Amino acid sequence: MKRNRSGGIITVVHGATIIKGFLSVLVMMVLLFSIIGVMTSLRPEYRLSSESVNAMTDQISGKMLYSLLANENHYFFSALPEGKSSSNITQQVLKLSANISLDDPRSLLGRELPGFSIFDSEILVAGEGTNYTNMPYESSPPNDVLNDEREASIQNLDGIVEPAKEPVKTPAMTTDGKKVVYIYHSHNRESFLPYLKDVTAPNLAYHSQINITKLGLKLLQDLESKGIGSSLEKTDVQANLNKKGLKYTKSYQESRSIAVSAMDNNRDLDYLIDIHRDSKRKKNTTITINGKQYAKIAFVIGSNNPNPEKNIALATKLHHAIEKKYPGLSRGVLKQGGKGNNGVYNQDLSGNAMLLEVGGVDNTFEEMYLTIDAFANVFSEFYWDAKEVNVPVTEKK
């Protein structure tokens, strides 16, 4: 407003202000359309995709959202199993904004240290003594170690090279000749330091003859003795990789084609068991039960499997069954994946596919055979119980 000389009030319209506002709106619209244009013209790998959104929302659990709501209305805390959550808003906001969890010290350095991401696993069900400092991991061997001509000399083989065959009793129940379990080894040359002369480093524990396949043979014998028809894959996956000039990281890709072929040739196959050993040392992979030393066992779930629910459920049931009969033997159900890991482990082929880590580089066959016996006992009970439940009522009569 402005007064003229006679005292009247006149309205001064600032044309410049109107033009300035119009130009501001125009600039904002141009900027908005430019940003949209850039985003839609980006190459697919650089676009904001549903995968990116899923990665962000993976950090937000249903429990966390419910806890946030309960902080506003405390009545909702009564619906949580443990009542009021011990975590507070600060912890939750810190996890969402910086992806730092005060319950997991790895989150402080996991993205800062090169190569640290290979240990970025998750404990789904913890076994006795299992924590983020002793998670299983498999170290990749140097290329020359996987060459047959450069293998270490072997030692300490007396009486333990082959699983001991006990007299087979006729089992009460059988699968009538059907092979329902498929046993294989994606890392079939994983070996053990007690049998490799002058070898002390875990990432050098590989051998073409004395290796993890002995455990597969033992499990085959155990399951067959309990009436569960099984087949053992004898393909040398590492030899195939060498012939094709492929790196060790392609092991699961190679074993996948073999497993798929086995499934195509035998429609009765119901369970797929891939047996490995850990690279951790003996203190983390061994336990004494009733005066005998057993190699600990762990169930590994691929975090990149798009539908892992059945795999997790199966592993969890077997973990609890093992813990009931052999307390402390199972290290738990552990999720692995991310950069540096396959992250699927062929578990997308079947909800009944599992990856077992039996023992570590320092364990002996005697210790590992005891563990295979224990797993076979638990698995056979689980298998026949499941069959009994699934038998139609008319057949039970």
Side-chain angles (χ1 to χ4, degrees), residues 7-283:
I9 298 175
I10 61 174
T11 302
V12 179
V13 179
H14 299 282
T17 302
I18 295 175
I19 295 174
K20 184 177 180 180
F22 175 76
L23 289 176
S24 297
V25 173
L26 182 62
V27 169
M28 290 178 64
M29 292 180 65
V30 171
L31 181 61
L32 177 61
F33 280 105
S34 298
I35 293 174
I36 294 174
V38 170
M39 292 180 66
T40 54
S41 61
L42 286 174
R43 294 173 60 184
E45 58 266 35
Y46 298 119
R47 293 179 187 171
L48 183 64
S49 63
S50 58
E51 183 179 352
S52 303
V53 176
N54 286 336
M56 290 186 290
T57 56
D58 277 345
Q59 305 300 321
I60 307 173
S61 66
K63 181 180 177 181
M64 181 183 295
L65 289 174
Y66 201 87
S67 296
L68 289 171
L69 179 62
N71 277 296
E72 296 301 320
N73 186 338
H74 290 188
Y75 173 79
F76 290 103
F77 279 127
S78 61
L80 293 173
E82 67 278 18
K84 187 172 182 178
S85 176
S86 58
S87 61
N88 55 36
I89 293 292
T90 304
Q91 291 177 335
Q92 295 171 350
V93 171
L94 183 63
K95 184 175 182 180
L96 289 175
S97 60
N99 200 20
I100 294 176
S101 173
L102 299 182
D103 297 324
D104 185 359
R106 301 170 308 149
S107 62
L108 297 172
L109 298 174
R111 288 169 175 76
E112 307 303 326
L113 299 179
F116 196 83
S117 61
I118 64 172
F119 303 104
D120 190 16
S121 304
E122 179 183 354
I123 300 175
L124 298 179
V125 182
E128 181 181 324
T130 299
N131 56 54
Y132 284 108
T133 67
N134 55 25
M135 298 282 283
Y137 76 95
E138 295 180 346
S139 57
S140 296
N143 290 331
D144 59 342
V145 173
L146 300 175
N147 189 319
D148 288 340
E149 298 177 0
R150 302 186 185 182
E151 287 189 321
S153 299
I154 52 180
Q155 60 185 4
N156 303 327
L157 301 181
D158 294 342
I160 55 176
V161 177
E162 297 293 337
K165 272 193 173 183
E166 299 179 358
V168 178
K169 298 179 181 179
T170 303
M173 295 182 287
T174 71
T175 56
D176 296 324
K178 296 178 180 179
K179 303 296 183 180
V180 298
V181 175
Y182 175 69
I183 305 166
Y184 70 112
H185 307 275
S186 293
H187 294 159
N188 65 291
R189 294 192 182 182
E190 289 180 327
S191 190
F192 309 92
L193 295 177
Y195 307 103
L196 304 179
K197 191 174 182 180
D198 299 325
V199 178
T200 58
N203 66 333
L204 301 181
Y206 292 84
H207 201 275
S208 65
Q209 301 300 318
I210 306 304
N211 52 46
I212 196 74
T213 60
K214 303 295 183 186
L215 303 190
L217 177 58
K218 175 62 173 171
L219 181 59
L220 174 74
Q221 294 175 358
D222 282 355
L223 294 181
E224 290 279 355
S225 70
K226 298 177 186 304
I228 302 176
S230 306
S231 61
L232 175 64
E233 181 59 61
K234 297 183 179 180
T235 299
D236 188 340
V237 173
Q238 185 55 52
N240 285 359
L241 294 178
N242 291 342
K243 290 177 184 177
K244 297 177 181 180
L246 298 176
K247 294 183 178 180
Y248 189 73
T249 53
K250 299 296 183 181
S251 297
Y252 289 100
Q253 174 182 306
E254 185 65 26
S255 67
R256 182 185 185 87
S257 62
I258 298 169
V260 169
S261 177
M263 294 173 70
D264 289 341
N265 293 328
N266 180 7
R267 296 295 181 180
D268 293 322
L269 285 180
D270 196 9
Y271 292 88
L272 283 66
I273 304 177
D274 189 3
I275 305 178
H276 296 250
R277 62 103 174 105
D278 194 3
S279 293
K280 287 285 187 182
R281 306 313 297 258
K282 193 161 187 174
K283 67 177 183 179

